[in-house]
Amino acid sequence: MAEEEPDYSNLPLTDRAVHKVWKVRKAAYEEAAAEFTKSPDEGAPCFRDWLMDSGLWKKIVLDSNVAAQQEGITALCAFLQYGGVNACLRSRSHTISPLVEKGLSSTRAGTKQKSLEAVLLYIELDTPGPVLDELAPYLSHKMPKIIAATITTFTSIYTAFGARTVDPKPVLKVLPALFGHADKNVRAEATRLAIELYKWLKDAMKPMFFNDLKPVQQKELEEAFEKVKDESPKQERLLRSQQATTGGEVEQGEEEVEAEMDAFDLAEPVDVLSKLPNEFHEMIASTKWKDRKDALESLFALLNVPRIRDGDFNEIIRALAKSMKDANVVVVTVAANCVELLANGLRKAFGRYRSSIMTPILERLKERKSTVVEALAKSLDAIFGATSLTDCLEDILEYMKHKNPNVKLETLRFLIRCLRNTRDFPSKAESKSIAEASGKLLSDTTAPARDGAAEAMGTLMKILGERQMNPFLDGLDEIRRVKIKEFFETAEVKAKEKPKPVAPPPAAKAPPMKKTLGGKLGLKKKAPPSTGAPPPPVEEPQRPMNPPRAIPSKLSAPKAGPGGLKLKKPAGAGGPSALASPKRGAAPGAPSPEEEPPAPKVAFGGRGLASRPLAKEVAPVARVVDSGLSALEKAELEELRAEKDRWARQIQEEKAEKAKLFLEINELQLQNAQLIEDHTRDNLSIRAKEAQLVRARSDAETAEATVHKQQREMERLKRELARAVRPTSPAPTDISEHVYRGDSLNGSYNGGRNDSIGRSTGNRLSFASTFSGEDKENGYDRGPRVSPTLREGTESGRASAAGNRGGADSIESWKRAAEVTSQLKLRIEQMKAKQGLARNQH
């Protein structure tokens, strides 16, 4: 008979949750989940023990039995769902890591789903930041299974809450490493995460990681991005803080954030100034255009980041402004590209440099080369994006009057782009100045300028509306009107007029006041019959009154009409009565009388009104309300306002003049530094040339001495040659003849005709070679002196032997002499050549 299982139901629930028997634990988890579901509110007693010992949840999530673990994570989800924010904050630090290690990577689908739901509940109940901080380290875990599960969790988080609510920066930073992981499952999950982020961020996310991927991965992602490019995801789950607002308000806020989200918001600021090369300012001031171009290209590489940390860029701005006047168009183009990157990287912080760089760019628009003009236009657009239409408008209007047609046309095109992209509604004064400047160009001599002016007015009409533009269209012919209307219909703008604050209804507080004061004033007593007109006011002599500004008014009544204070008439008799506050009437942006809501039945202007007869006070009070200020005060006020405007304009002009003077001072300082540098360079060049000249003179003197020495050597060799030949032997004119004759003689001798040859020879050759010590050093043979003698005689044997030796020695001697002669000739030619070179150097 099987043993019966003991009953553990008497143990406390928290004790059973950590029991050694897995079935007991599983039953405890199920019971706890049921209690949480049935709880009336977040403060129910069933939550108390679990909140006091929140570390129990770590053991529950790490349960060794997979079936019990699944029920435990289900109980955790119920605990979070019904326990609220307190349950989230108490247990979050204990459960996120176990959920990643054992829940999200589980092989059981139910456990994985409940673990993901628990993570999403932790985000929903509080904020995403703490959960992301807990999950981020697992993206670099040593086990690929954990990494893939964590990436899947991030994908689900962004799908549920969106990249607007959950910060995407931590994930974008590690995406390149995930795409480079060795495990294919990790790379596949990283691709899904990138696609989900692209739905929210579009191309703004690419600068954060795209360049670090392999070309194949870039191609695959581009294809995947193209498929979801037109999708507009919506947030599926709201945070508790968002649930407090209505759904419509949340959606509106999401649309506003979406319009502003770009790479700048996602990127971390980069410190560019610390990376600037030390020789940058020296190279940018070089006289060689290649050095200036290289300096700007190195600056371009540093500025090519989504976001730049703010700092002191005055020196760089001055260098870029000077480069706009460079004679080389390549330098101008690179400088314009640098301005574009700097403005895009600094955004609002670039505003203080606008006046220093914008004017040189507008001035350089006279360039005819399209690539240069395009680069300048992009830099101007970036400056506008970092500032506003109000900041740029003054310079734009000034250069629209430029004498150069290209400058005028490109400035007009820049204005059109500003009107299209501005989100700020232009003021009346700005609208008037734009319309007047564009209207003047409608009659320009060039067709592009006329078309641009019509487009500018059409774009402005799209912003303001047709009614507000009608005054500026008066006096134009029908052709120009039609053209402006065409541009108006096709224009796309982003500016929207902000709704003016609506004044609270004046009748909100009037009824109790009216009921109290009506009896005192008796406004409804003796009401005249319905005659269609109010009773005429009774005039009385004027007497001193307090200034209108001192009259307190707590009612938000509309302004009175020209008839002064009007009394309420009986039904069908006339309009309502109203007494407007002077401050109310003078407030800017107040609605016109035609658009005013119905006035209260009774209104009062100030202290003491109830103590005076109504008939005697109607006219004076109406006069005060109607005029507000006396004519003298109005004139004085207008004069003060005009004076204020004049001073403001003068201050602006002085500021502009000051900026221009500072710019000229900086340019003069740069020119001075350039002149000093050029002077130093010239001095160094002169000294180098002098040193070269000294060396050349020394070399010339050395060469001259060498020539003299060689000449002496040549004379000595000539003397030695003369001594080597006997005085009795005639100097041969051609050594080859003697060599030939010697050969013939030798052959004849060998033929046995020595006697006849000896007799037929008319001349007897005698050659004595005498070699000096220098000849020995030059490699010549230093043999014994040979004196061959051909004798005519009767000595047969002795003569024959002597003739044989003499002929051979003579041939050898002439050969040596020929060699010496040829060598002498060669050396003489060499010395002549050196001597001629030395003379040329002199």
Side-chain angles (χ1 to χ4, degrees):
M1 185 175 180
E3 296 182 1
E4 296 181 0
E5 294 184 0
D7 185 12
Y8 298 103
S9 60
N10 294 328
L11 294 175
L13 191 58
T14 53
D15 293 343
R16 281 184 281 157
V18 293
H19 201 274
K20 62 181 180 179
V21 180
W22 69 271
K23 291 184 179 180
V24 178
R25 298 196 301 272
K26 181 174 178 295
Y29 303 155
E30 294 173 349
E31 184 177 347
E35 289 184 0
F36 298 150
T37 305
K38 296 177 182 179
S39 60
D41 52 41
E42 299 176 358
C46 62
F47 296 104
R48 186 178 301 112
D49 294 337
W50 301 94
L51 291 173
M52 295 296 294
D53 190 7
S54 55
L56 287 173
W57 292 109
K58 181 177 181 179
K59 299 178 181 179
I60 294 173
V61 174
L62 294 174
D63 200 302
S64 57
N65 185 275
V66 293
Q69 181 192 24
Q70 181 174 342
E71 295 299 330
I73 297 176
T74 303
L76 174 62
C77 292
F79 176 70
L80 295 173
Q81 184 176 359
Y82 298 101
V85 179
N86 197 19
C88 167
L89 298 178
R90 289 292 187 93
S91 61
R92 182 172 57 197
S93 59
H94 300 284
T95 57
I96 295 295
S97 296
L99 283 171
V100 177
E101 295 174 357
K102 296 295 183 181
L104 295 172
S105 59
S106 176
T107 57
R108 294 172 66 95
T111 303
K112 189 181 297 185
Q113 180 182 359
K114 290 296 181 182
S115 300
L116 179 59
E117 178 64 22
V119 173
L120 296 178
L121 282 171
Y122 276 118
I123 294 177
E124 178 182 328
L125 292 171
D126 189 28
T127 57
V131 179
L132 297 186
D133 294 341
E134 293 277 352
L135 292 175
Y138 289 97
L139 291 174
S140 57
H141 200 272
K142 61 182 180 180
M143 295 180 62
K145 179 177 69 172
I146 301 295
I147 299 175
T150 307
I151 298 173
T152 305
T153 305
F154 272 108
T155 305
S156 301
I157 290 172
Y158 288 114
T159 303
F161 297 99
R164 316 295 182 196
T165 303
V166 183
D167 187 11
K169 293 180 186 177
V171 179
L172 291 174
K173 292 179 181 178
V174 298
L175 269 182
L178 298 178
F179 275 101
H181 200 276
D183 189 81
K184 64 178 182 179
N185 294 327
V186 173
R187 296 195 300 271
E189 292 298 332
T191 302
R192 295 190 187 95
L193 176 59
I195 294 173
E196 181 61 34
L197 288 174
Y198 184 82
K199 294 178 183 178
W200 295 91
L201 305 177
K202 305 302 181 187
D203 291 336
M205 63 180 282
K206 287 185 178 180
M208 299 291 294
F209 76 100
F210 208 71
N211 294 332
D212 298 329
L213 304 182
K214 298 178 181 179
V216 177
Q217 293 174 333
Q218 291 181 358
K219 183 179 179 181
E220 293 176 353
L221 279 181
E222 286 288 0
E223 294 175 355
F225 291 163
E226 189 67 25
K227 296 178 182 179
V228 299
K229 181 175 62 176
D230 298 330
E231 292 187 15
S232 299
K234 293 184 180 180
Q235 187 173 344
E236 297 176 359
R237 299 178 65 158
L238 301 179
L239 304 178
R240 285 290 175 91
S241 58
Q242 294 175 337
Q243 293 175 10
T245 60
T246 62
E249 292 177 355
V250 173
E251 291 177 3
Q252 182 180 1
E254 291 294 326
E255 292 174 359
E256 292 176 357
V257 176
E258 182 178 2
E260 298 175 359
M261 180 69 70
D262 58 4
F264 181 84
D265 302 314
L266 300 175
E268 294 293 333
V270 178
D271 188 4
V272 173
L273 293 174
S274 62
K275 301 178 182 179
L276 195 67
N278 296 329
E279 63 275 8
F280 170 77
H281 295 288
E282 179 181 354
M283 293 179 65
I284 199 66
S286 174
T287 56
K288 298 180 180 179
W289 71 269
K290 288 187 177 181
D291 292 344
R292 300 195 298 272
K293 181 180 75 70
D294 293 341
L296 291 172
E297 287 179 347
S298 64
L299 177 63
F300 180 86
L302 292 176
L303 297 176
N304 193 15
V305 292
R307 190 170 184 176
I308 300 174
R309 182 177 296 173
D310 191 15
D312 186 7
F313 287 91
N314 286 294
E315 291 292 334
I316 294 178
I317 291 294
R318 282 194 288 268
L320 293 174
K322 183 180 178 183
S323 299
M324 291 300 161
K325 303 177 182 179
D326 201 291
N328 190 283
V329 293
V330 178
V331 176
V332 177
T333 304
V334 181
N337 295 335
C338 291
V339 174
E340 178 186 0
L341 292 179
L342 188 60
N344 290 332
L346 290 177
R347 292 290 173 89
K348 293 183 179 179
F350 187 82
R352 60 178 178 268
Y353 308 118
R354 183 203 61 80
S355 59
S356 301
I357 191 66
M358 186 172 174
T359 303
I361 295 177
L362 291 171
E363 189 69 36
R364 191 59 194 238
L365 288 174
K366 61 187 178 182
E367 189 67 42
R368 292 181 176 273
K369 199 170 183 179
S370 59
T371 55
V372 181
V373 174
E374 183 179 357
L376 294 172
K378 289 182 178 179
S379 64
L380 288 173
D381 293 342
I383 292 173
F384 169 73
T387 55
S388 65
L389 178 63
T390 303
D391 297 332
C392 303
L393 187 59
E394 183 178 356
D395 291 334
I396 292 175
L397 297 177
E398 183 67 26
Y399 277 85
M400 284 175 65
K401 308 172 186 176
H402 202 275
K403 60 182 180 180
N404 189 292
N406 288 342
V407 175
K408 183 165 52 178
L409 177 59
E410 294 300 329
T411 306
L412 181 58
R413 291 173 177 172
F414 175 48
L415 173 63
I416 295 171
R417 296 195 300 272
C418 293
L419 293 174
R420 289 174 181 170
N421 298 316
T422 182
R423 295 184 181 275
D424 300 328
F425 197 82
S427 63
K428 291 183 178 180
E430 293 171 348
S431 302
K432 181 180 179 182
S433 58
I434 294 172
E436 291 177 350
S438 302
K440 293 179 181 178
L441 294 179
L442 287 173
S443 56
D444 194 83
T445 56
T446 60
R450 294 194 298 269
D451 294 342
E455 185 175 0
M457 295 193 72
T459 308
L460 182 63
M461 182 186 291
K462 192 75 172 182
I463 297 175
L464 301 178
E466 296 184 64
R467 181 179 179 184
Q468 283 76 8
M469 280 294 292
N470 284 334
F472 306 112
L473 301 181
D474 292 341
L476 298 179
D477 55 43
E478 189 63 26
I479 297 177
R480 293 172 180 171
R481 284 173 174 268
V482 171
K483 202 161 192 175
I484 293 173
K485 286 291 182 67
E486 290 177 356
F487 285 114
F488 162 72
E489 293 172 356
T490 58
E492 295 181 2
V493 297
K494 299 179 181 178
K496 295 181 181 179
E497 185 177 9
K498 297 181 179 179
K500 298 179 180 180
V502 180
K509 296 183 180 180
M513 303 294 290
K514 174 194 68 175
K515 193 169 183 179
T516 305
L517 295 174
K520 296 181 181 180
L521 294 174
L523 293 179
K524 291 189 178 181
K525 297 178 181 179
K526 300 180 181 179
S530 178
T531 59
V538 180
E539 297 183 359
E540 67 172 4
Q542 295 184 358
R543 52 191 179 86
M545 297 180 63
N546 294 331
R549 290 185 296 273
I551 300 177
S553 175
K554 296 184 179 180
L555 292 180
S556 301
K559 294 188 292 185
L565 181 64
K566 297 180 180 180
L567 302 180
K568 184 179 184 303
K569 301 177 182 179
S577 173
L579 178 61
S581 168
K583 294 181 181 179
R584 224 25 170 158
S592 60
E594 293 81 6
E595 300 173 354
E596 290 291 335
K601 295 180 180 179
V602 177
F604 60 96
R607 188 178 303 169
L609 180 60
S611 61
R612 297 194 297 270
L614 181 62
K616 295 182 180 181
E617 292 294 334
V618 168
V621 173
R623 184 164 53 253
V624 171
V625 173
D626 184 29
S627 60
L629 295 174
S630 64
L632 181 61
E633 290 175 334
K634 282 185 176 180
E636 184 179 0
L637 180 60
E638 291 299 328
E639 184 179 354
L640 291 174
R641 286 176 177 171
E643 186 69 21
K644 179 184 176 182
D645 293 339
R646 285 195 298 272
W647 279 108
R649 286 194 299 270
Q650 185 176 354
I651 291 173
Q652 293 296 330
E653 292 174 358
E654 294 293 338
K655 286 182 178 179
E657 185 67 22
K658 182 179 179 182
K660 291 180 180 178
L661 291 176
F662 271 121
L663 186 59
E664 291 179 2
I665 290 173
N666 293 330
E667 291 179 356
L668 291 175
Q669 289 177 347
L670 291 174
Q671 292 177 3
N672 187 26
Q674 182 67 33
L675 291 174
I676 293 174
E677 183 179 358
D678 295 342
H679 179 67
T680 305
R681 190 183 297 108
D682 294 341
N683 286 337
L684 293 176
S685 178
I686 291 171
R687 292 177 182 177
K689 295 295 183 183
E690 290 177 351
Q692 292 178 2
L693 183 60
V694 170
R695 286 195 298 269
R697 287 175 179 173
S698 177
D699 294 341
E701 292 174 356
T702 304
E704 187 176 359
T706 303
V707 169
H708 291 317
K709 181 179 178 181
Q710 295 296 334
Q711 287 177 348
R712 289 194 300 270
E713 179 69 14
M714 184 174 64
E715 294 295 334
R716 187 185 64 78
L717 290 174
K718 287 181 179 179
R719 288 193 299 271
E720 291 292 333
L721 181 61
R723 284 197 300 269
V725 180
R726 287 176 178 269
T728 57
S729 300
T733 59
D734 191 356
I735 302 299
S736 61
E737 295 178 359
H738 293 279
V739 174
Y740 175 77
R741 288 169 57 190
D743 290 340
S744 302
L745 180 62
N746 190 15
S748 300
Y749 176 78
N750 291 334
R753 294 182 299 174
N754 297 330
D755 294 338
S756 62
I757 294 174
R759 287 191 300 268
S760 65
T761 302
N763 295 327
R764 298 292 182 262
L765 301 178
S766 175
F767 181 80
S769 290
T770 304
F771 296 93
S772 64
E774 293 181 358
D775 293 333
K776 181 180 179 181
E777 292 177 359
N778 292 329
Y780 301 129
D781 185 16
R782 187 185 173 120
R785 296 182 180 179
V786 179
S787 299
T789 307
L790 298 177
R791 300 180 181 272
E792 296 180 5
T794 58
E795 300 176 2
S796 58
R798 187 175 178 181
S800 298
N804 187 14
R805 290 192 302 270
D809 292 341
S810 177
I811 292 169
E812 187 68 24
S813 298
W814 282 114
K815 287 182 179 180
R816 293 193 188 108
E819 291 176 359
V820 172
T821 304
S822 62
Q823 290 179 1
L824 285 172
K825 287 181 179 181
L826 180 62
R827 294 183 66 178
I828 290 170
E829 293 296 330
Q830 291 177 352
M831 285 187 292
K832 287 181 178 180
K834 290 183 179 180
Q835 187 174 5
L837 179 63
R839 289 176 180 175
N840 293 334
Q841 289 180 353
H842 283 293

